[in-house]
Amino acid sequence: MILHSRRSRIVGLAMAAVVLVGILAVVFFHWATVPRNPAPTPTGPETDPDAFTFFSIGPDTTLTDGLTAYLETRLGSGAMESRTTIDLTLPGIYAFADHFPRLHALHQTFNHGSGRRVEHDTTRLTYRYARKNKGLFDIVRLVFSREDKKPLYFHLYVKRDGDAFIRTLREKYGPPRQIAPPDSQGPVYFWKRPSEVLVVSVTPNRSGYDEYHFGIYYLENLDLLADRERLEKERMKRERDAGARRVF
């Protein structure tokens, strides 16, 4: 009788062990096959087809993980930075303030007159190996607002052979206006809309080749960032003033 009872317990324990092993196997299989950090799915942007765009990214596009994955497929790996400076100028533009007064005013708003570094609530994507990835550009910088994730401006650089881009822009947006440069500088082409500016500056380098600098600016988005920063400065000033009154 005692022997039978022991056998029953042994059999029961063995069956329980088999069931436990089966459960653990199912749990392990599920854990091994479900991705913990799935890569974002590349998502192409949707925007106004008449806007100035870069890879279909326009003023209403929002920066998402899908968009950065989409850009990586076209430009290769890039670097993402937060809290960056804002520089709206391009090399080789003669009389920048005269030809682009609104852009010049925004540039002054975002920068300190003394040249002190000023950081803003932005996200900057930089791609330095786009040409190796058949992206055609040598350097690509895309700057977005962190608040609403909308693009502020793009700067693109091509060491040489940028004429094909200019021809494409002519076909898409029509004949550009042109700034007559001094003899030592190359031509500057630009297209303007009420809230957008597209500029191409051609600058000769020391080797005799032309370098091409492209700038796309979304003025309404830049204005929104400037307004937010102004309101934030006013709020901080009120708090400082209130704090000073409590002290003295």
Side-chain angles (χ1 to χ4, degrees):
M1 183 72 176
I2 294 174
L3 181 60
H4 177 73
S5 176
R6 287 179 178 175
R7 287 178 177 175
S8 297
R9 285 200 297 273
I10 292 171
V11 171
L13 290 172
M15 293 178 64
V18 170
V19 172
L20 179 60
V21 169
I23 293 173
L24 290 175
V26 171
V27 171
F28 176 79
F29 177 79
H30 178 74
W31 175 85
T33 54
V34 174
R36 264 72 65 193
N37 294 306
T41 302
T43 306
E46 295 182 4
T47 191
D48 181 354
D50 295 326
F52 296 148
T53 62
F54 177 70
F55 279 121
S56 299
I57 303 171
D60 299 321
T61 304
T62 54
L63 181 62
T64 63
D65 290 342
L67 180 60
T68 55
Y70 164 82
L71 288 168
E72 189 169 329
T73 63
R74 286 152 177 79
L75 301 172
S77 60
M80 179 181 289
E81 303 169 81
S82 297
R83 300 292 304 175
T84 67
T85 59
I86 289 179
D87 184 357
L88 303 180
T89 64
L90 282 178
I93 298 183
Y94 176 71
F96 178 76
D98 294 335
H99 294 287
F100 307 104
R102 186 175 172 188
L103 205 54
H104 175 70
L106 282 165
H107 178 78
Q108 290 187 311
T109 298
F110 290 125
N111 291 278
H112 199 274
S114 66
R116 175 173 58 85
R117 177 181 174 89
V118 182
E119 296 180 344
H120 305 273
D121 194 20
T122 52
T123 298
R124 181 168 62 202
L125 306 178
T126 303
Y127 302 87
R128 295 184 178 275
Y129 307 102
R131 185 176 287 272
K132 293 182 180 180
N133 200 57
K134 298 181 181 180
L136 302 178
F137 290 89
D138 292 282
I139 299 177
V140 172
R141 290 190 178 93
L142 313 177
V143 182
F144 293 78
S145 165
R146 290 181 65 193
E147 175 72 21
D148 56 21
K149 302 186 183 301
K150 296 293 182 65
L152 300 171
Y153 67 99
F154 304 152
H155 279 174
L156 323 168
Y157 168 66
V158 184
K159 283 185 178 179
R160 62 178 71 178
D161 302 327
D163 288 339
F165 293 112
I166 296 175
R167 287 195 296 271
T168 298
L169 294 174
R170 286 178 182 272
E171 293 171 1
K172 185 172 183 180
Y173 302 122
R177 284 182 264 181
Q178 186 170 342
I179 299 174
D183 294 339
S184 60
Q185 293 179 289
V188 174
Y189 308 98
F190 65 95
W191 294 257
K192 277 187 178 182
R193 290 178 176 171
S195 59
E196 301 170 27
V197 178
L198 169 58
V199 186
V200 184
S201 174
V202 184
T203 59
N205 61 24
R206 294 179 181 178
S207 301
Y209 294 103
D210 284 337
E211 298 180 346
Y212 298 79
H213 302 268
F214 297 77
I216 302 176
Y217 304 92
Y218 300 114
L219 301 178
E220 288 186 355
N221 295 347
L222 287 163
D223 283 338
L224 285 174
L225 177 61
D227 288 342
R228 282 196 297 267
E229 291 189 349
R230 177 181 55 79
L231 292 173
E232 178 64 14
K233 288 178 182 177
E234 292 174 355
R235 183 190 66 80
M236 293 177 65
K237 183 179 182 301
R238 288 195 300 270
E239 290 182 355
R240 286 195 300 269
D241 291 346
R245 286 192 293 270
R246 287 194 295 268
V247 172
F248 296 103

